[in-house]
Structures are given as C-alpha cells and as structure tokens.
Amino acid sequence: MADDAEALAVAAGLADAFRPGAAERDARRRLPREELGRLSASGLLGITVPRAHGGADVTAGTLAEVFRLLATADPSIAQIPQSHFVYVNVLRARGSAGQQEFFFREVLAGRRFGNAQAEAGTQHAQDIRTRLEPDGIGGHVLTGTKHYSTGALFAHWIPVLARGAEDKLYVAYVPRGAPGMMVVDDWDGMGQRTTASGTVRLEGVVVPADHVLPHHLTFEGPQLHGAFAQLLHAAIDSGIARAALAEAARFVRTKSRPWFESGSETAAEDPLLVQRFGGLELRVRAARALLEAAARAVDTATARLTDDTAAEASIAVAAAKAYAAETAVDTGSALFEVAGARAALDELNLHRYWRDARTHTLHDPVRWKVQHLGRYVLDGTRPPRHGLV
C-alpha cells in the first residue's frame, strides 16, 4: 500500500464487494472468513505501519474513513480489525526496535491481530485479573479468561491484556493456537453477529519476554491510546448511520406507499417524509463532520504530543463518538418509521442496522463521554488517561 489515496480507494472497493452479502451473512451468522482473507490480501491491515518499516503510515483521518467505508457495507467486518489497529499502535508507542521490526513485518505480510482484553464478572471494566507471571527461565506464563474477544477467532496473533509485576498492565502478543490457549466461538449477541466476539481461555500459556510490552507506561504521560481506539469506534457508528439512511431512502423510493392523507403520488413525495429525511441527513452529515474534526485533532496531537494536544484530541473524539453512537441507533430505528410496516418483515433483515448500532454502541457508555465534555468546557479539566477516552 503506497499512500492515503490508495488506502481509501482499496477500502471503497472492498466495501462495494462486501455489501451485497452482508444481510445474508448476518441472517445465517456466516462468519466472514473469505472476506477477511481479502482484507488481509488487500494490504489495508498494514496502512498504519511507519514508513521506516515499509508501511504507508496513513493519517488518522484516512484510517477513520477506511473504517467508516467498511461499516457502510458490513459493520461486523469493520469491527473485526479495530483491535488490530489499536495493537499496531501499541507497538508503535511501546515496542522495542526488535519488537517493531518483527511484528510490523508480520502485519505487512497480512497477519491479523485480534484481542483478549475485556473480562466478565469483575468489579468494573478496568479490573483486569488475567495474570502474567515469570516462568523462571526468562519468559512468562499467562493465566485467565477473556470475553468479548473480537477478532480473536480470525487472528494470527492475539494481544492479551494482563497484570504482571507490581500489578501493572502488560500486553502479551500470543500466536493463535499456542498451547494452553483456547478461542471459543460462543458470541451470541443480537447484533454484530459475525464478529465472533467470544471467549479466550488461557491456561499456562508460555510467552517469551520479547513478545511482552509494558502497557502501563502508555498512561504515565500524554497519550493517544484511548483517542485512537475510540476514533475507530466512532467511524463504525458513523458508517452504520449512513448505511441505514441509504437503505431507508431506497426502500421509500421503491417499496413504500404514500400515506393517503398526504395527497402525494409516491411516498418519496410526501412532504412530511421529505422533512424527516432532511433531519436525518443533517444528523448523519454532522456525525461525519465531527468524526473528521476528531481525526484532525488526533493527527495534530500525533505530530506534537503534549498534555494539551492529547486532551484536545480525546475531547474531540469523545464528541464524535457520543454523537455518532446516538445517530446510528436513532437512524437504525427511524428506518422503520419512514419506510412503514413492510420494512419490519424479518425476511428483509432491515433490523440489522439497528441491532448492529445498538450492540456496537454498548462498548462503553456515551454518558461518560458527555461528562468529560462538560468538565472540559466548564473548568478545563482534562479527560483521564485511560484507554476509553
């Protein structure tokens, strides 16, 4: 992959290829193995690798648009590589020269990173109990259980978030299929059905020292880990909103009947529907504009990372994420309002837009994004340094 322009062109082409089969994959829960193979072969997975290592090193704006485009076609396929790019970014920030050389070469060869970070049944989302212990011969041993492990089933490498020495956070990059690791396809969410965001069990998994990164250091100074990760989530929500509105417009143009009181020959001429579509279009455009502004803030902070630029990036991304999340859910619901009763037929599977939006936006609560925005504008309080803002 040469540059930003090529990345966008390839993403648009893949979106066009993935779109026709999205409804069937969702309805049958047919996992997108072939589609992910095409994604790997396209070179898109390496677009954030630094140029010094042979990558395109695209801007955050380009990467966000890549995700938005993929999400307009199939939000599950868009969600699967989100952690891939997050953990490429972790290597950029905290990897040693040797680690970067090895893993960036893997990424450029089309190898996919999954994730094993979230845990269920703990006190809160940051209560990580998976352990990374010394093995006595210079390496480490991983033990624990992870949930919501999007991408793990399809991954070549699975980055695992764990507590190590002094209870500090580390990331261990483990090859899928390593002895003691089991990836279980038990995801049964109502939406994002084909992400296979299931369980990863780790029982005495041996990890060499050069596959472990000190993730705790990420949060000891100004950082963009959270802003970068959340930007990609916002891009997915923005893409879902655009796709739902486009589907609604197609349905109204071709299938909906006008309400008899409107006096219109077609549903698309009903003035009340025209007004409703105009309002929805405003929201979808606003979501994309906030996404683009957030990406610019991330790029600005990447070029000159300080407490102030990092905070501004996090706040801009929080605004984009909060607005895109609400817009995606509301647009997915409005599809039925504007299209009419026939749109609710299960065989059409139009509810996948709302199901995907509602499921994806549960990743972390929008209400806390709004809290951080409020504190920032009232008294300049910077958002906290963690991976969710």
Side-chain angles (χ1 to χ4, degrees), residues 347-367:
E347 66 188 49
L348 299 176
N349 200 17
L350 297 182
H351 44 66
R352 72 184 186 276
Y353 297 103
W354 183 87
R355 288 188 290 98
D356 282 341
R358 183 66 282 175
T359 302
H360 180 254
T361 56
L362 296 175
H363 181 273
D364 54 279
V366 163
R367 60 187 177 272

Side-chain angles (χ1 to χ4, degrees), residues 48-382:
T48 58
V49 170
R51 288 189 178 276
H53 289 271
D57 201 8
V58 302
T59 66
T62 292
L63 185 63
E65 180 62 4
V66 165
F67 270 77
R68 193 193 69 84
L69 287 168
L70 292 175
T72 65
D74 187 328
S76 286
I77 290 178
Q79 177 62 29
I80 289 167
Q82 191 267 349
S83 291
H84 170 90
F85 285 98
V86 168
Y87 284 104
V88 170
N89 221 37
V90 169
L91 283 161
R92 289 184 60 140
R94 291 297 163 196
S96 68
Q99 288 170 329
Q100 290 179 349
E101 180 181 358
F102 174 77
F103 282 111
F104 289 158
R105 187 167 60 247
E106 287 285 285
V107 170
L108 291 174
R111 306 287 191 270
R112 296 186 292 271
F113 292 163
N115 94 86
Q117 54 186 26
E119 298 182 12
T122 56
Q123 185 177 9
H124 52 72
Q126 296 291 299
D127 183 12
I128 303 298
R129 300 184 183 180
T130 296
R131 301 302 306 181
L132 182 73
E133 305 287 356
D135 65 0
I137 54 174
H140 305 274
V141 176
L142 274 171
T143 303
T145 301
K146 299 291 188 175
H147 299 271
Y148 312 117
S149 302
T150 302
L153 189 69
F154 312 108
H156 300 92
W157 292 89
I158 302 178
V160 180
L161 194 62
R163 297 280 178 186
E166 300 179 10
D167 215 36
K168 292 181 178 179
L169 278 177
Y170 291 83
V171 174
Y173 289 71
V174 182
R176 187 176 179 278
M181 171 182 278
M182 179 181 296
V183 180
V184 185
D185 179 20
D186 57 0
W187 170 245
D188 65 350
M190 68 175 181
Q192 300 290 83
R193 287 177 171 175
T194 61
T195 58
S197 301
T199 301
V200 172
R201 297 194 179 99
L202 306 148
E203 299 178 3
V205 178
V206 176
V207 185
D210 58 359
H211 288 181
V212 176
L213 277 70
H215 195 39
H216 58 93
L217 296 178
T218 300
F219 307 103
E220 293 184 3
Q223 51 83 33
L224 295 172
H225 179 77
F228 181 87
Q230 292 288 306
L231 180 71
L232 304 185
H233 285 305
I236 293 168
D237 293 337
S238 181
I240 294 172
R242 172 51 70 194
L245 186 56
E247 188 71 70
R250 279 192 296 271
F251 199 93
V252 168
R253 284 195 305 267
T254 61
K255 295 183 174 65
S256 296
R257 297 181 298 177
W259 184 243
F260 69 94
E261 293 178 285
S262 72
S264 302
E265 289 294 320
T266 68
E269 296 171 307
D270 182 334
L272 296 182
L273 278 181
V274 171
Q275 185 72 14
R276 185 70 170 113
F277 269 96
L280 292 168
E281 177 69 9
L282 280 173
R283 291 192 63 182
V284 172
R285 284 176 179 256
R288 185 174 179 183
L290 284 170
L291 177 69
E292 291 171 347
R296 288 194 297 271
V298 171
D299 282 327
T300 296
T302 300
R304 189 175 68 86
L305 187 59
T306 67
D307 283 328
D308 288 337
T309 61
E312 183 56 37
S314 287
I315 288 297
V317 172
K321 177 66 164 59
Y323 195 83
E326 293 178 353
T327 300
V329 172
D330 291 349
T331 306
S333 177
L335 185 158
F336 301 98
E337 172 201 337
V338 298
R342 185 180 174 190
L345 293 176
D346 193 56
E347 66 188 49
L348 299 176
N349 200 17
L350 297 182
H351 44 66
R352 72 184 186 276
Y353 297 103
W354 183 87
R355 288 188 290 98
D356 282 341
R358 183 66 282 175
T359 302
H360 180 254
T361 56
L362 296 175
H363 181 273
D364 54 279
V366 163
R367 60 187 177 272
W368 278 98
K369 305 284 190 281
V370 179
Q371 279 284 311
H372 295 313
L373 285 164
R375 292 169 184 169
Y376 190 72
V377 73
L378 278 172
D379 56 22
T381 299
R382 296 181 181 124

